[in-house]
């Protein structure tokens, strides 16, 4: 016989002594939860020892109260919240405050104040009298400002005749007490709330009341084992391992009392990996679930004018456009990503819609988004019910409701939206879009989803739900001092000082209740493991003080600190059976002749020289990263615009010698402003880039005049070339070609300092750009034109350019020939080539170096 059976038998013996078997229908037993009904019934049957037994009424107090019918309707919490919010908004007492969260906290305090009345009012008149008496008594008390504010608001909110849930519960208990005639037996482990204690006192005036309190039944706590983890992962693994061991040992009812929900999530994932499903009595708020994420993504995209990241996040949700196939939805996202990156549009649904004109599927999806967006006009103020109706209609247009209907949590979410809309039909307050959205976020954070589809021998539960319950085994998860006792959900606006001034329960009240429930759990269950993290982020953490005291007392009495001594060995054994992947090696893949590109650009050749594996990934496997949608002007854009400016300038003024320098300066600035015009409209930061270029304009004109004085004349710009070499085509485009008689000079503009460019040319052959340009145009000279920080300088290779060009071409031909013969492409780039390489995660450098 387990510990719990002993206590249930003692309760049954007492009941049967006062009410002989076989008919116990004339009494009522109040249970902390319905899980206690079965073991009590079994104890009564054992104690009665009769062929048949008519069991007593066994019910929780809340369920019993709900059986009482009231004359007046009960106002929903959503209606009360809206009324109080409007009141706070009108008074303007709290500038820049989160009024919705304040509203929620105030309503909770109002309910507690209602429950704390010195009597149990059974009707509206009695309640009004009790409220007025409490108010008059407090007027003489010295209350701090926050406490007085709460009290004044509570008094004002109770003037109406509507019943809120607290008043309805109060009246139901009063009516139950008035009808008292049956003996009442009560099972509990910790103190009740004031209103429930008053109910018992009222009931006891008319009928027998007997309370079975485990704290008074000489309940001895069992000795749990303790596992101190060194990390969250180790705690989750140890807990999952213990559950598996208990299941293997044949235990059929395992409770996981989760104090730390983060560890609980990880543990659940590990159990599901081992094909062990877990029932969850506590549930998860909708705000933490994927079904509500699609609502947040939709409203975020709407509010940000469909900023491209928000739009893509929305379209990647599995719930949107659920009337399309998965392949069709992926195609829409892919097409949009390509368009965004090609055209660089940052936001604006109408812009995306225009771009997608020729992409039929994408165009249709964006049209649906425009239709849905029109339903939620953000510049209007509407009642909450109207906002909810518009949201539901938009979800229908986007087929989000179809996707949610295919998920149990999604079904509950849709029902919740419909319930709130129905409850708020009579609320006439009008709310801006941002106010309604904040209200919706709060509602989703308070509404809980419980998955009823899982029937498992393992369940997550919370401490209060274990009252008078016995399990085959109990796992107390996350029991460090930060989580047990857990902080009371008192809110962030009105602290314990306010609650104490109002004579309401405080954090210490909450902690004492948790301690009593914990001791009761240990008294009823003899197989218990406690886990916690003794280290987190390099800092030591303490075990819960409740459990530490138990552990210390046991160690003093028995010389054993109750440390669990087997789980570490099981975890080590589990690690030993894991597959160890081979150490990564430096890759050097070879390719088939068919895979070798027929042509290569100058940038591709540079990539081949910098790191052959980089060339392999970029130009053979074509693993190039998608370009990001540009939101601000970057150095690359600046360089491109400078190239465009100089091309247009020299096309207009092929020669500047003999012209007025001031005239050329003005012309170059005018052309610059024209080239930068679209960027200036798009991004204010473009003005800084233009100013940076203007700083170099005088120096450039001066350099150009000196260049012409040496006999060089501008010939052409942005000229493409495509040369057939032995086994490979080399293609590219030069910035500028100058001529001096039969001589040719290839120039490449760079918005970099001359020092950087000299370093680039320090090792002959490391940078192939100038050499290949010279070869393509049969030029004897080539140089970079450094334009930076108000200076313009020519940076030329020290080596003979024609010879360098010939060597570079021969090297390219030899490398391509070697690839066709099976040579590898090793990842041998030097550190500087790896710094900004986007394929470093593919070659996995760092794993093998």
């Amino acid at each position: 016989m387990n510990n719990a059976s002993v206590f249930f038998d003692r309760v049954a013996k007492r009941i049967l002594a006062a009410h002989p078997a076989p008919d116990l229908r004339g009494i009522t037993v109040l249970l902390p939860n319905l899980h206690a009904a079965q073991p009590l019934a079994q104890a009564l049957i054992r104690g009665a020892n009769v062929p048949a037994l008519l069991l007593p009424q066994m019910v929780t107090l809340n369920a019993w109260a709900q059986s009482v019918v009231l004359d007046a309707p009960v106002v929903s919490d959503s209606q009360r919240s809206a009324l109080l919010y409007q009141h706070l908004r009108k008074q303007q007492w709290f500038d820049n405050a989160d009024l919705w969260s304040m509203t929620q906290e105030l309503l909770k305090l109002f309910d507690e104040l209602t429950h704390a009345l010195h009597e149990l009012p059974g009707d509206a008149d009695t309640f009004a009298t009790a409220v007025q008496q409490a108010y008059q008594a407090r007027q003489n008390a010295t209350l701090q400002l926050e406490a007085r504010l709460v009290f004044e608001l509570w008094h004002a909110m109770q003037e109406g005749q509507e019943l809120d849930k607290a008043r309805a519960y109060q009246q139901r208990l009063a009516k139950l007490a008035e009808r008292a005639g049956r003996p009442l037996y009560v099972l509990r482990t910790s103190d009740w709330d004031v209103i429930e204690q008053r109910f018992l006192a009222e009931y006891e005036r008319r009928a027998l009341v007997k309370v079975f309190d485990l704290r008074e039944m000489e309940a001895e706590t069992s000795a749990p084992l303790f596992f101190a983890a060194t990390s969250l992962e180790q705690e989750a693994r140890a807990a999952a391992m213990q559950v598996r061991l208990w299941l293997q040992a044949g235990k059929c009812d395992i409770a996981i009392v989760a104090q730390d929900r983060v560890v609980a999530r990880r543990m659940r994932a590990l159990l599901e990996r081992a094909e062990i499903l877990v029932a969850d009595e506590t549930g998860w708020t909708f705000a933490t679930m994927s079904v509500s994420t699609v609502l947040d993504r939709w409203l975020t995209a709407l509010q940000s004018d469909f900023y491209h990241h928000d739009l893509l996040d929305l379209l990647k949700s599995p719930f949107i456009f659920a009337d399309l196939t998965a392949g069709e939805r992926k195609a829409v996202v892919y097409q949009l990503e390509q368009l965004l990156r090609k055209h660089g549009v940052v936001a604006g649904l109408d812009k995306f819609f225009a771009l997608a004109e020729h992409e039929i599927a994408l165009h249709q999806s964006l049209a649906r988004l425009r239709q849905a967006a029109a339903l939620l006009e953000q510049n209007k103020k509407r009642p909450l019910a109207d906002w909810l109706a518009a949201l539901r209609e938009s979800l229908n247009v986007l087929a989000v409701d179809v996707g949610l209907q295919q998920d149990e949590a999604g079904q509950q979410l849709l029902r919740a939206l419909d319930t709130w809309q129905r409850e708020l039909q009579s609320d006439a307050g009008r709310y801006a879009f941002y106010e309604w959205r904040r209200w919706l976020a709060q509602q989703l954070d308070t509404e809980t989803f419980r998955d009823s589809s899982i029937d498992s021998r393992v369940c997550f539960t919370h401490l209060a739900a274990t009252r008078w319950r016995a399990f085959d085994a109990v796992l107390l998860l996350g029991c460090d001092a930060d989580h047990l006792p857990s902080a009371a959900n008192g809110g962030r606006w009105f602290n314990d000082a306010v609650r104490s001034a109002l004579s309401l329960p405080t954090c210490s009240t909450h902690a004492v209740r948790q301690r009593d429930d914990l001791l009761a759990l240990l008294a009823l269950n003899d197989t218990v493991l406690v886990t916690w993290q003794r280290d987190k982020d390099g800092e030591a953490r303490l075990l819960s003080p409740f459990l530490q005291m138990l552990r210390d007392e046991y160690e003093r009495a028995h010389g054993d600190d109750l440390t669990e001594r087997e789980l570490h060995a099981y975890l080590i054994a589990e690690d030993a059976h894991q597959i160890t992947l081979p150490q990564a090696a430096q890759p050097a893949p070879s390719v088939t002749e068919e895979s070798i590109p027929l042509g290569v650009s100058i940038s591709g050749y540079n990539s081949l020289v910098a790191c052959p594996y980089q060339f392999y990934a970029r130009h053979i496997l074509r693993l190039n990263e998608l370009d990001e949608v540009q939101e601000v002007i970057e150095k690359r854009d600046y360089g491109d615009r400078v190239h465009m400016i100089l091309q247009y300038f020299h096309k207009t003024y092929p020669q500047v010698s003999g012209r007025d320098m001031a005239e050329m300066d003005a012309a170059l600035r005018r052309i610059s402003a024209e080239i930068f015009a679209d960027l200036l409209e798009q991004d204010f930061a473009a003005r800084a880039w233009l100013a940076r270029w203007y700083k170099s304009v005088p120096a450039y004109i001066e350099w150009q005049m000196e260049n012409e004085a040496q006999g060089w004349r501008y010939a052409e710009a942005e000229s493409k070339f495509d040369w057939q070499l032995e086994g490979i085509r080399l293609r590219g485009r030069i910035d500028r070609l100058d001529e001096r008689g039969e001589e040719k000079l290839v120039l490449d503009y760079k918005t970099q300092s001359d020092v950087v460019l000299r370093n680039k040319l320090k090792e002959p052959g490391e940078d192939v750009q100038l050499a290949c340009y010279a070869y393509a145009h049969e030029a004897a000279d080539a140089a970079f034109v450094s334009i930076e920080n108000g200076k313009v300088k020519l940076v030329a290779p020290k080596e003979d350019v024609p010879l360098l060009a010939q060597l570079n071409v021969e090297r390219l031909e030899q490398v391509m020939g070697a690839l066709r013969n099976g040579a590898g492409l090793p990842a041998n780039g030097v550190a500087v080539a790896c710094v900004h390489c986007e394929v470093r995660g593919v070659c996995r450098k760092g794993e093998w170096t």
Side-chain angles (χ1 to χ4, degrees), residues 638 669 676 685-697:
Y638 168 65
R669 289 176 184 273
F676 265 86
R687 297 177 185 276
W689 289 109
L690 181 57
R692 180 175 178 172
W693 161 242
Y694 279 161
K695 187 178 180 181
S696 297
V697 165

Side-chain angles (χ1 to χ4, degrees), residues 5 73 81 129 153 167 169 178 192 236 293-294 306 329 392 632 653 659 685:
S5 298
S81 179
T129 302
L153 284 171
R167 287 173 60 179
Y169 185 54
E178 289 173 5
W192 278 13
T293 302
V294 67
F306 293 90
R329 293 199 300 271
R392 288 290 275 116
V632 295
Y653 304 99
R659 293 180 177 272

Side-chain angles (χ1 to χ4, degrees), residues 141-152:
T142 302
L143 294 179
Q144 56 179 297
L145 178 62
E146 286 180 306
R148 181 166 294 281
L149 171 66
V150 173
F151 202 72
E152 294 279 355

